[in-house]
Amino acid sequence: MTTLSMNRRKRFWRRFVGGLSAASLSLQVGCYTFKPLQTSVPATGNRMAVVLNDRGRFTLGDRLGSAVDRVDGLLVEVDSMGVTLEVYRTTDLRGTDATWTGERVRVPKDAISGYQERQFSRRRTYLLVGTAVGVIAATMLAVKFDLFSGFTRADPGGGTTGNTR
């Protein structure tokens, strides 16, 4: 009876810690968010996102992918014809991200629906840090970790060691 109860507790803690870990992983990008840019022409050297319109998806489909909605990257050049980005990530219409390694892509002005500025998000950062602390605390509780004496485990043998006379 106690073995069944202990197995349930172990499963509960494993699921709990696994759930907190999964939440923490999903929030890894939680420190930043993209907000619509209020100015018409962004400054070079900033990390930002370019939102594509239908013409942009068609025009850049061979270079970026067929259903790309947003292109995230470092703004390298701005002129009257469009912008050039060092692309770090693309997001398609379904919300799926694809990671890039900084390849330069020229986006024509008539392909752009709008710009989004990358901003630090305090709320998401606090949530991420709180989740990480929760995972650590739950792990410590689950393995019965004592900060001053290490792991506590019962002696499995209970007998004497070495030669007996």
Side-chain angles (χ1 to χ4, degrees), residues 79-159:
D79 60 23
S80 62
M81 300 301 288
V83 298
T84 303
L85 291 170
E86 287 183 1
V87 180
Y88 297 118
R89 179 180 34 206
T90 58
T91 305
D92 67 11
L93 293 171
R94 295 178 303 253
T96 306
D97 292 333
T99 304
W100 288 53
T101 57
E103 293 90 344
R104 288 190 178 204
V105 174
R106 177 94 176 135
V107 182
K109 194 172 196 171
D110 62 347
I112 299 172
S113 174
Y115 301 100
Q116 294 179 342
E117 184 178 29
R118 184 176 183 234
Q119 292 181 345
F120 181 75
S121 172
R122 284 186 177 173
R123 188 179 122 247
R124 288 183 176 192
T125 303
Y126 290 148
L127 188 59
L128 176 65
V129 170
T131 303
V133 169
V135 167
I136 292 168
T139 303
M140 289 172 58
L141 288 172
V143 296
K144 297 180 183 177
F145 186 73
D146 184 4
L147 291 175
F148 300 105
S149 64
F151 288 97
T152 58
R153 296 189 181 185
D155 184 17

Side-chain angles (χ1 to χ4, degrees), residues 60-80:
L60 299 170
D62 59 337
R63 287 179 273 170
L64 298 175
S66 60
V68 171
D69 181 45
R70 190 175 78 189
V71 182
D72 305 339
L74 181 69
L75 187 61
V76 178
E77 183 183 354
V78 178
D79 60 23
S80 62

Side-chain angles (χ1 to χ4, degrees), residues 18-74:
L20 285 175
S21 298
S24 176
L25 287 174
S26 68
L27 292 172
Q28 279 185 338
V29 295
C31 292
Y32 290 93
T33 185
F34 284 94
K35 300 280 185 184
L37 191 62
Q38 301 302 320
T39 61
S40 61
V41 179
T44 60
N46 292 332
R47 181 97 185 253
M48 58 172 310
V50 173
V51 180
L52 301 177
N53 56 25
D54 290 336
R55 177 179 286 190
R57 281 187 274 283
F58 178 76
T59 304
L60 299 170
D62 59 337
R63 287 179 273 170
L64 298 175
S66 60
V68 171
D69 181 45
R70 190 175 78 189
V71 182
D72 305 339
L74 181 69

